[in-house]
Amino acid sequence: MGASATTARGRELLARLGVAVTLGGAVLLLIDLLAQLARVDLWIIGGELAFSQLMNYLWTGLTLGLIIGLAGVGLSLTYSILNFANFAHGDYLTLGAFSGWSVAYVIAGLGTIDLASLILVDAPSSNVGASVTNTPVAVVVGLVVAIVVTVALGLALDRAVYKPMRNSEGISLLIASIGVAFILRYLAALIFGTGRRGITAPSEIPSMTVLGVQVNAHQLTILVVALVAMMAIHLLLQRTKIGKAMRAMADNRDLARITGIPTERMITATWVLGSGLAGASGYMLVLARGTLGFNDGYLLLLLIFAAVILGGIGSVYGAIVGGLLIGITSRVALVWVPGEFGRPVAFGLMILFLLFRPSGLFGGVETA
Amino acid sequence: MSDFKTSDDGLLQVSALDAGYGDLQILTDVDMNVDDGEYVTIVGPNGAGKSTVMKSVFGLTTYMDGEIEFRGDEIQGSNPEDIIHLGLSYVPQNGNIFESLTVRENLEMGAYILDSVPEDQIQAVYDRFPILEERSEQEAGTMSGGQRQMLAMGRALMLDPDLLMLDEPSAGLAPDLVEEMFDRIDRINEAGTSVLMVEQNAKEALRRCDRGYVLVNGENRYMDSGEALLGDEQVRQDFLGG
């Protein structure tokens, strides 16, 4: 047997071993999960887990995953069309959240609460009473403002920073975007302060119990908005001329140019879509958590990257599926690990997945 | 008129062109012309700058000096996005289809600059290449080499161009498909479209074209009718393998 044949056999064995270990681990976790649900306790296996608790993890993971997925679509689009990973994307979420909730607060509390504290999203949340049922107009207008402001921010930053660097290497753009991220983050800290604040009023959010899970109106809002947005993105990319041209440009930029597709207009469209989705995600992250801090978008960015990479970087549909997987994993992981470890587990899933499928879930499918 | 041109007011006129990539100059003083309805081939050894001529026409290289005129308008140094508006289409050798788009979407992109999708033109391309109609909803990247080449040409024909530029259309095709591909190009030319083609398969290309250029080291070496070049002892020995 030649050396190369031996190596190939060795690799195959290793791969098989990897699959075996992974499958074994998965089966163990599943058995443990079932044992916990059945309240069986055998040595390291089992424990006590209420079925409603598991469903609750799944549901909150789903809402978080939808937000990560929407943000991931924007990140993936800018990556595939502009050829760089935008590290400032997370801070677009933060800026979208602050601008949107600032306007929502002004609408909700105008006349009864001091204007400055409303604009700075500083007023006590229980006094403002912001919720989708209590102050529906404020919440909806806030969402629109979050999108519009983030789009304006994305376009302005493209003009000021990324456009002059259009022909630079991806790595230079990436580093520039890290700079932009710092500027945005500390701009938010400067204007709104560094304290984490409650935004929505918990007492004003109606909820009901479905299959033992507490489902509140804000989570339902996230579900509806995210599904509508995803359907709209799908139709845009598959049915409209500009969407098809965006896919064409992501696929093969040189060919797009000689076909007469206007590069700059497509880049503008990409920023509008990507930034708009980032603004909406940031705004809805507050609906999911009830609180907002100047670091929130940045902290979520790692999970967004994980989702995009898991889904296959450059793929829009991959970003959505990756977002759901990462969101749900980070929550369901709480069955086995304490709260602060949900994030590493999500990354573990991503790494494990990439070992078996290096190009990601939808890798090689590009934007289609 | 230089030694390497047959007219000074043809469809495409390349005059004393210097071009390259960044600081690297590839073409020196290249003269070339394609007249209305003509079928012109560029042959020459690897690295002679054959493809660079086409890329330069489409604004994809660094322009240094000289002139490129299309229908009398100077186009050297233009933006690649604008060239297609003039009635030129270009099929690069590699990456000449949008792999993740369907066959039909590829054709639609070929007519991007029009306000609406020209259904009659799509049908005309389907009539010319029936396999594309059969595969219209298939993802382009999943097709065979020959089908991809047809799609690339179909995409380039969507605007019914005056001049079609083809870079190595027979590259990577199975031997039995090469002949078929050349037949298709003949028919496109017979329908009135001028053709400028770079080919590695020099003998076959020269047999079929009206006129050929031999490019060496980024400079003009010979220009004559395809037949005359095939008959030239020196050209045969140096460039056509005897």
Side-chain angles (χ1 to χ4, degrees):
Chain A
M1 202 191 302
S4 65
T6 316
T7 321
R9 231 184 68 136
R11 277 216 190 108
E12 199 183 317
L13 267 175
L14 262 182
R16 272 196 209 156
L17 190 68
V19 173
V21 168
T22 310
L23 277 180
V27 169
L28 256 178
L29 284 178
L30 192 67
I31 292 173
D32 182 56
L33 182 67
L34 292 173
Q36 286 201 39
L37 285 172
R39 316 273 161 112
V40 178
D41 207 341
L42 287 171
W43 187 44
I44 57 165
I45 285 178
E48 285 202 6
L49 173 71
F51 180 71
S52 64
Q53 185 60 43
L54 177 65
M55 291 302 287
N56 184 46
Y57 287 148
L58 281 172
W59 170 242
T60 52
L62 175 75
T63 50
L64 180 63
L66 287 168
I67 292 170
I68 293 173
L70 273 190
V73 170
L75 190 65
S76 204
L77 272 175
T78 46
Y79 176 84
S80 57
I81 289 182
L82 295 153
N83 272 327
F84 81 102
N86 182 14
F87 268 74
H89 198 75
D91 299 290
Y92 288 24
L93 265 72
T94 310
L95 266 289
F98 271 114
S99 58
W101 285 105
S102 173
V103 170
Y105 259 42
V106 168
I107 295 174
L110 195 64
T112 53
I113 302 168
D114 164 47
L115 185 62
S117 71
L118 290 173
I119 292 175
L120 295 176
V121 210
D122 215 13
S125 60
S126 52
N127 291 2
V128 180
S131 93
V132 74
T133 44
N134 196 38
T135 60
V137 176
V139 170
V140 171
V141 173
L143 175 64
V144 174
V145 169
I147 293 170
V148 171
V149 169
T150 317
V151 166
L153 178 80
L155 290 178
L157 283 171
D158 183 54
R159 250 295 150 79
V161 181
Y162 303 125
K163 192 174 181 187
M165 297 180 69
R166 201 71 92 210
N167 295 318
S168 307
E169 294 289 313
I171 194 77
S172 314
L173 284 156
L174 184 147
I175 291 168
S177 79
I178 294 176
V180 169
F182 276 116
I183 293 171
L184 292 181
R185 197 175 319 147
Y186 291 102
L187 197 67
L190 189 71
I191 299 172
F192 298 100
T194 52
R196 166 168 298 279
R197 71 214 60 200
I199 300 285
T200 54
S203 59
E204 301 291 348
I205 309 169
S207 68
M208 54 184 175
T209 309
V210 181
L211 295 171
V213 187
Q214 283 282 90
V215 173
N216 72 41
H218 283 184
Q219 293 167 328
L220 284 177
T221 309
I222 293 168
L223 184 71
V224 171
V225 172
L227 290 181
V228 169
M230 284 169 185
M231 190 50 76
I233 297 162
H234 171 72
L235 290 177
L236 176 83
L237 289 176
Q238 299 298 331
R239 298 286 164 82
T240 69
K241 184 175 177 178
I242 193 166
K244 289 175 188 176
M246 284 169 79
R247 283 165 53 213
M249 199 171 138
D251 183 308
N252 188 334
R253 191 164 174 173
D254 283 339
L255 186 60
R257 289 175 82 197
I258 62 173
T259 307
I261 295 173
T263 315
E264 279 302 320
R265 207 180 308 162
M266 289 305 132
I267 290 176
T268 302
T270 306
W271 279 118
V272 168
L273 192 56
S275 311
L277 290 171
S281 309
Y283 187 82
M284 292 201 295
L285 190 61
V286 175
L287 283 181
R289 291 177 173 168
T291 62
L292 176 60
F294 81 108
N295 250 340
D296 281 7
Y298 168 66
L299 292 175
L300 195 69
L301 181 67
L302 289 176
L303 287 183
I304 299 170
F305 267 125
V308 169
I309 293 167
L310 178 62
I313 192 150
S315 162
V316 164
Y317 302 105
I320 293 172
V321 176
L324 290 175
L325 281 175
I326 291 290
I328 290 171
T329 306
S330 70
R331 296 294 298 170
V332 173
L334 301 181
V335 171
W336 296 282
V337 298
E340 57 270 33
F341 286 101
R343 197 177 281 266
V345 169
F347 274 96
L349 174 80
M350 178 193 88
I351 291 168
L352 199 61
F353 203 90
L354 291 183
L355 285 177
F356 294 111
R357 208 179 143 78
S359 55
L361 209 52
F362 288 63
V365 191
E366 301 286 332
T367 320
Chain B
M1 203 189 319
S2 85
D3 293 346
F4 296 103
K5 289 199 199 171
T6 54
S7 73
D8 267 339
D9 55 358
L11 189 61
L12 178 72
Q13 292 283 336
V14 177
S15 313
L17 180 68
D18 292 351
Y21 304 97
D23 291 333
L24 180 67
Q25 184 171 350
I26 306 282
L27 303 179
T28 310
D29 239 9
V30 169
D31 283 333
M32 200 171 281
N33 72 301
V34 180
D35 287 341
D36 253 321
E38 232 187 343
Y39 180 176
V40 176
T41 296
I42 309 173
V43 300
N46 280 331
K50 305 185 294 287
S51 301
T52 308
V53 174
M54 290 194 174
K55 288 183 185 162
S56 300
V57 171
F58 244 87
L60 294 167
T61 60
T62 309
Y63 165 76
M64 294 167 182
D65 200 15
E67 276 167 25
I68 304 171
E69 285 172 72
F70 190 74
R71 289 210 179 288
D73 295 326
E74 290 192 12
I75 61 168
Q76 65 271 12
S78 293
N79 193 334
E81 294 159 29
D82 300 329
I83 304 282
I84 197 158
H85 292 260
L86 305 171
L88 269 86
S89 281
Y90 169 43
V91 180
Q93 183 186 348
N94 299 310
N96 54 23
I97 57 172
F98 298 112
E99 298 195 355
S100 63
L101 271 60
T102 66
V103 168
R104 195 192 141 88
E105 285 170 341
N106 266 272
L107 297 179
E108 288 177 14
M109 287 302 113
Y112 178 86
I113 63 171
L114 302 182
D115 288 334
S116 60
V117 178
E119 293 297 337
D120 52 337
Q121 195 61 30
I122 288 185
Q123 195 53 52
V125 171
Y126 284 160
D127 291 344
R128 191 182 285 282
F129 307 115
I131 187 75
L132 297 184
E133 184 163 23
E134 271 174 51
R135 302 279 163 103
S136 64
E137 296 308 314
Q138 190 173 327
E139 207 172 281
T142 63
M143 298 201 302
S144 72
Q147 291 163 359
R148 291 161 82 112
Q149 197 57 253
M150 283 187 242
L151 178 58
M153 277 192 214
R155 195 271 305 156
L157 289 171
M158 279 300 291
L159 295 172
D160 197 10
D162 298 329
L163 175 63
L164 177 64
M165 300 201 299
L166 302 168
D167 196 347
E168 306 252 4
S170 79
L173 294 188
D176 54 320
L177 291 177
V178 170
E179 197 71 5
E180 200 184 314
M181 184 57 63
F182 280 120
D183 287 345
R184 291 180 194 284
I185 297 166
D186 283 352
R187 286 202 290 277
I188 291 169
N189 179 240
E190 282 157 15
T193 306
S194 305
V195 174
L196 178 62
M197 177 171 78
V198 165
E199 246 313 315
Q200 200 64 251
N201 196 340
K203 282 184 186 169
E204 185 66 32
L206 290 174
R207 249 196 293 281
R208 289 172 182 262
C209 70
D210 297 322
R211 222 152 38 84
Y213 285 88
V214 180
L215 228 57
V216 181
N217 283 332
E219 296 178 35
N220 290 102
R221 181 64 62 86
Y222 299 100
M223 183 278 287
D224 215 326
S225 70
E227 242 167 90
L229 288 174
L230 279 170
D232 187 305
E233 194 56 36
Q234 199 68 40
V235 173
R236 286 183 75 90
Q237 259 184 6
D238 291 354
F239 306 110
L240 304 176

